[in-house]
């Protein structure tokens, strides 16, 4: 019998997850169907439960429902609990098991695909929303020299660090104090680029040979990537992360890990 999955979000029409999971299933020979489900902003729980009650096996969750996905989970993995957000749900009878594969996907893209070591690195994480929260514990588990978080609304970054228990390796910093610091990896986890905006980080924050990572994907040369390019940094967008987090979700659901390289290459090819 064909197992059914979906990505639930609002908006969701742009999501490339169906294409990615179809490519994984072709590789592994798994018989799955994966669709997009648009949930009303006040109707996530209802959309999810009717999908599950219709016999589905699991779901991915995207903006703006990751916190609700965590809240509705009846059980969760440590990596979902750490950021209090879930992007991968597995259904088991009445149980909903919440997981979060975003941090795994980000670290794997940076270390394996982009060959940028995170161990011992000085990392700046810009943003304190769901995406930043979801990847923090995975970044810390890579043992960076430091993970510093900054945000337009500084109190949100401060509160998040306090919640997690800050340390010499994990702290928050105000945007206007960044001019005195340099980083090996700068990750833009804000949604500023959606509206062609730029977080107010100084061009001097990029160290020599640094990597600038735009978590959003498919927007071309965003103001953040332009700033980083002007500073001489290497740049990447979040397409690799998207595919890596999807592969980890596929593994959670199916117990088999698809190969991501060909799928990233497929998505990077211009449409003909
Ligand atoms: P949220 O809405 O939860 O958080 C938005 C964050 O962006 C906040 O920190 C907010 O700051 C900041 N922000 C918004 N506009 C601006 C601006 N103009 N200048 C500076 N900061 C700004 O969104 P998410 O955290 O869920 O998502 C963030 C991004 O990450 C999205 O673009 C999403 O597409 C991407 N993403 C990519 C993934 C992938 O697989 N590649 C996976 C997950 C997310 P403030 O607190 O001050 O409002």
């Amino acid at each position: 019998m064909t197992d059914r999955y979906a990505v639930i979000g609002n908006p969701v029409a742009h999501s490339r997850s169906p294409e990615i999971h179809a490519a994984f299933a072709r590789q592994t020979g798994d018989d799955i169907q994966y669709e997009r489900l648009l949930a009303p902003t006040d109707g996530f729980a209802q959309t999810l439960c009717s999908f599950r009650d219709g016999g589905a096996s699991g779901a991915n969750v995207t903006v703006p429902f990751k916190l609700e996905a965590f809240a509705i989970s009846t059980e969760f993995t440590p990596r979902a609990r750490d950021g209090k957000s879930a992007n991968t749900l597995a259904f088991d009878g009445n149980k909903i098991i919440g997981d979060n594969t975003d941090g795994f996907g980000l670290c794997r893209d940076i270390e394996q695909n982009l060959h940028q070591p995170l161990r011992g690195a000085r990392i700046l994480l810009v943003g304190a929303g769901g995406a930043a929260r979801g990847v923090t514990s995975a970044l810390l588990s890579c043992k960076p020299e430091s993970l510093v978080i900054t945000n337009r609304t500084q109190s949100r970054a401060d509160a998040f660090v306090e919640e997690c228990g800050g340390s010499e390796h994990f702290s928050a910093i105000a945007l206007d104090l960044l001019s005195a610091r340099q980083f090996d990896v700068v990750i833009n986890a804000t949604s500023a680029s959606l509206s062609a905006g730029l977080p107010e980080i100084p061009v001097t924050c990029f160290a020599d040979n640094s990597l600038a990572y735009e978590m959003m994907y498919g927007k071309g040369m965003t103001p953040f990537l332009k700033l980083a390019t002007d500073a001489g940094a290497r740049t990447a967008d979040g397409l690799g992360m998207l595919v890596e987090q999807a592969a980890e979700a596929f593994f959670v659901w199916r117990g088999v890990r698809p190969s991501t390289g060909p799928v990233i290459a497929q998505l990077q090819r211009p449409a003909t």
Side-chain angles (χ1 to χ4, degrees), residues 254-267:
R254 315 290 309 171
V256 51
R257 196 179 291 283
S259 163
T260 51
V263 181
I264 295 173
Q266 175 192 324
L267 265 59

Side-chain angles (χ1 to χ4, degrees), residues 2-3 8 16 33 36 41 49 65 83 91 95 114 132 136 145 158 161 167 175 212 230 246 260 271:
T2 305
D3 291 330
I8 304 176
R16 303 197 75 175
Q33 183 191 321
R36 292 181 188 86
T41 46
C49 290
F65 299 126
F91 305 142
K95 285 196 283 187
L114 301 167
T136 293
E145 178 187 306
D158 291 339
V161 169
S167 69
L175 279 161
D230 291 346
T260 51

Side-chain angles (χ1 to χ4, degrees), residues 149-244:
I149 181 164
T150 192
N151 192 43
R152 178 177 61 181
T153 309
Q154 181 58 29
S155 56
R156 289 185 78 194
D158 291 339
F160 178 49
V161 169
E162 199 177 312
E163 221 175 88
C164 301
S167 69
E168 58 175 309
H169 300 292
F170 181 44
S171 57
I173 191 172
L175 279 161
D176 58 5
L177 295 180
L178 276 173
S179 53
R181 302 283 295 268
Q182 288 214 308
F183 300 90
D184 306 304
V185 180
V186 180
I187 301 166
N188 184 15
T190 75
S191 47
S193 302
L194 273 178
S195 48
L198 177 66
E200 288 177 8
I201 54 170
V203 71
T204 49
C205 72
F206 299 95
D208 286 346
N209 303 315
S210 60
L211 172 71
Y213 195 97
E214 174 77 86
M215 227 191 243
M216 209 165 70
Y217 59 89
K219 295 284 176 193
M221 183 60 83
T222 62
F224 169 74
L225 293 178
K226 169 85 172 60
L227 181 80
T229 304
D230 291 346
R234 267 196 315 143
T235 60
D237 78 0
L239 187 71
M241 171 181 174
L242 180 76
V243 175
E244 296 293 350

Side-chain angles (χ1 to χ4, degrees), residues 29-100:
D30 282 45
D31 182 15
I32 70 162
Q33 183 191 321
Y34 190 109
E35 60 195 282
R36 292 181 188 86
L37 280 181
L38 176 69
T41 46
D42 60 353
F44 170 73
Q46 199 182 355
T47 303
L48 179 79
C49 290
S50 63
F51 184 56
R52 178 197 59 182
D53 296 345
S57 302
N60 283 134
V61 180
T62 187
V63 178
F65 299 126
K66 290 182 187 180
L67 301 181
E68 276 188 75
F70 175 77
I72 204 171
S73 299
T74 56
E75 293 175 19
F76 25 76
T77 61
R79 56 190 182 179
R81 195 184 47 225
D82 286 344
K84 295 191 173 60
S85 77
N87 77 335
T88 300
L89 304 175
F91 305 142
D92 178 8
N94 282 332
K95 285 196 283 187
I96 300 177
I97 301 143
D99 199 347
N100 195 322

Side-chain angles (χ1 to χ4, degrees), residues 238-253:
L239 187 71
M241 171 181 174
L242 180 76
V243 175
E244 296 293 350
Q245 65 76 26
E248 181 69 1
F250 195 93
F251 177 70
V252 166
W253 291 328

